[in-house]
């Protein structure tokens, strides 16, 4: 039986194809290009297998797991932009840091945690940052059970917006305060459980890439808009979480303040592009 791919699969496959072309175009300038290509073969195979399983098994609860598989690829796609982000420009952090200093006369990402070092506030910030990983998965699941007719669209918009951010990270290389500032200036000191958890995540999962604009803020804004538009009863608590998350990205030195501002400016464009792509593909798919 031929696996029936859906438009969410096509979104991920499109990213795989475009970045594969990028790898071949800059083969000698990319670290371990063969590994990146082999992983793409693996991801494509997983998509085909999950599509075949969706056709074979009609269990609704099992299929939600199969549909969410592309979300599991995002961590790898994000990290690999560190191998691609030198292809067009060199590191642009000196310019971002200088602009911030010219505007504010300080580095907001550096002084924020110094002004409010309290344990309770530090833990609130670190919890807010950690909540990002929860809402990425929980939002499409919420739509799956509350508004199942919108599940595919929501998942497509999330993934396509992520891919647009990743393309931006490849072209505009900014690594953020935690990597740009040396020594203690670029580090935050964990105090409580959430602080140590975020510190662990940064040490094992964060790489010098993807700071400008903040995808943490951008994706959260898109999720918040979708919740506001279709599941408004959850919006108040979601808005509170997004607000804490946005502030936390500066507090733990993951992002410059300009990264956050840029996310507010560019996210509507990314959402517009993703939505137009969905409408176009949806018509073809039907």
């Amino acid at each position: 039986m031929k696996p029936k791919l859906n438009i969410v699969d096509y979104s991920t496959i499109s990213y795989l194809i475009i970045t594969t072309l990028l790898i071949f175009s800059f083969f000698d300038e990319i670290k371990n290009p063969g590994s990146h290509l082999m992983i793409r073969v693996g991801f494509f195979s997983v998509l085909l297998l999950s599509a075949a399983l969706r056709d074979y098994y009609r269990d609704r609860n099992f299929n939600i797991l199969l549909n969410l598989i592309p979300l599991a690829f995002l961590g790898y796609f994000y990290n690999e932009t560190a191998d691609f982000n030198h292809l067009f420009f060199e590191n642009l952090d000196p310019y971002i840091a200088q602009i911030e200093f010219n505007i504010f006369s300080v580095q907001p990402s550096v002084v924020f945690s110094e002004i409010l070092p309290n344990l309770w506030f530090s833990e609130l910030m670190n919890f807010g940052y950690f909540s990002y990983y929860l809402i990425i998965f929980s939002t499409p699941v919420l739509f799956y059970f509350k508004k199942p007719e919108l599940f595919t669209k929501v998942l497509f918009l999330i993934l396509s917006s992520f891919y647009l951010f990743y393309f931006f990270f490849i072209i505009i290389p900014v690594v953020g305060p935690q990597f740009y500032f040396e020594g203690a200036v670029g580090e935050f000191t964990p105090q409580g459980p959430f602080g140590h958890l975020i510190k662990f995540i940064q040490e094992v999962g964060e790489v010098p890439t993807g700071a400008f604009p903040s995808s943490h803020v951008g994706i959260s804004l898109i999720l918040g808009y979708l919740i506001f538009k279709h599941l408004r009863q959850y919006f108040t608590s979601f808005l509170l979480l997004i607000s804490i998350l946005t502030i936390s990205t500066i507090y733990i030195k993951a992002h410059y303040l300009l990264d956050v501002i840029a996310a507010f400016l560019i996210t509507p464009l990314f959402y517009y592009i993703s939505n137009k792509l969905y409408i176009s593909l949806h018509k073809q798919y039907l």
Side-chain angles (χ1 to χ4, degrees):
M1 181 183 297
K2 182 180 179 181
K4 185 179 180 182
L5 298 169
N6 59 31
I7 59 176
V8 174
D9 298 324
Y10 289 135
S11 174
T12 301
I13 290 171
S14 297
Y15 184 80
L16 290 173
I17 292 173
I18 294 172
T19 51
T20 296
L21 294 174
L22 182 70
I23 293 169
F24 280 116
S25 298
F26 296 92
F27 198 84
D28 294 331
E29 300 177 47
I30 294 175
K31 182 180 179 181
N32 299 323
S35 297
H36 290 300
L37 293 174
M38 289 302 298
I39 288 173
R40 276 159 172 71
V41 173
F43 283 169
F44 183 71
S45 300
V46 170
L47 290 176
L48 291 179
L49 177 60
S50 65
L53 290 174
R54 283 198 306 264
D55 289 341
Y56 186 77
Y57 295 101
R58 298 294 179 175
D59 182 77
R60 187 167 181 260
N61 294 327
F62 179 65
N63 277 346
I64 187 176
L65 297 176
L66 296 175
N67 280 289
L68 292 175
I69 283 176
L71 289 177
F73 300 166
L74 293 176
Y76 176 82
F77 287 146
Y78 169 77
N79 283 345
E80 75 168 5
T81 62
D83 291 336
F84 301 161
N85 65 6
H86 64 283
L87 301 177
F88 299 97
F89 297 100
E90 294 299 323
N91 181 274
L92 299 176
D93 283 74
Y95 301 99
I96 300 295
Q98 187 61 50
I99 292 171
E100 287 216 331
F101 185 79
N102 291 342
I103 295 174
F104 304 107
S105 299
V106 295
Q107 296 292 343
S109 59
V110 173
V111 302
F112 191 6
S113 58
E114 295 175 352
I115 295 173
L116 293 167
N118 320 62
L119 171 62
W120 69 268
F121 191 79
S122 176
E123 279 295 274
L124 178 64
M125 292 293 98
N126 283 284
F127 166 75
Y129 193 80
F130 177 73
S131 68
Y132 173 70
Y133 305 104
L134 302 178
I135 63 176
I136 289 173
F137 286 91
S138 63
T139 301
V141 171
L142 183 63
F143 272 92
Y144 190 83
F145 289 104
K146 296 295 183 179
K147 290 285 183 72
E149 70 277 9
L150 294 175
F151 171 73
T152 299
K153 180 178 182 179
V154 167
L155 191 55
F156 179 92
L157 292 174
I158 293 172
L159 288 166
S160 296
S161 297
F162 262 114
Y163 299 147
L164 289 171
F165 273 104
Y166 294 166
F167 284 132
F168 204 95
F169 298 158
I170 292 171
I171 298 171
I172 307 295
V174 179
V175 301
Q178 63 180 324
F179 293 108
Y180 178 64
F181 295 126
E182 296 181 354
V185 177
E187 298 178 356
F188 84 93
T189 303
Q191 300 184 58
F194 279 106
H196 284 90
L197 176 61
I198 293 302
K199 190 69 174 180
F200 173 77
I201 291 173
Q202 286 184 325
E203 290 176 350
V204 302
E206 294 280 352
V207 293
T209 187
F212 182 89
S214 170
S215 58
H216 287 77
V217 175
I219 296 298
S220 298
L221 290 174
I222 290 173
L223 297 178
Y225 174 73
L226 292 171
I227 292 290
F228 175 79
K229 187 176 182 181
H230 301 292
L231 295 171
R232 196 164 298 185
Q233 66 271 32
Y234 300 101
F235 180 69
T236 301
S237 56
F238 207 89
L239 177 62
L240 177 61
L241 201 58
I242 293 175
S243 300
I244 297 172
L245 191 159
T246 299
I247 298 171
S248 75
T249 62
I250 306 169
Y251 185 86
I252 71 166
K253 304 179 182 180
H255 289 285
Y256 302 101
L257 178 55
L258 287 181
D259 299 338
V260 173
I261 295 172
F264 274 88
L265 295 176
I266 203 167
T267 297
L269 175 62
F270 284 0
Y271 178 85
Y272 175 82
I273 294 173
S274 297
N275 193 50
K276 285 293 184 181
L277 286 172
Y278 174 81
I279 293 172
S280 177
L281 286 173
H282 188 62
K283 289 178 180 179
Q284 295 179 33
Y285 186 73
L286 290 176

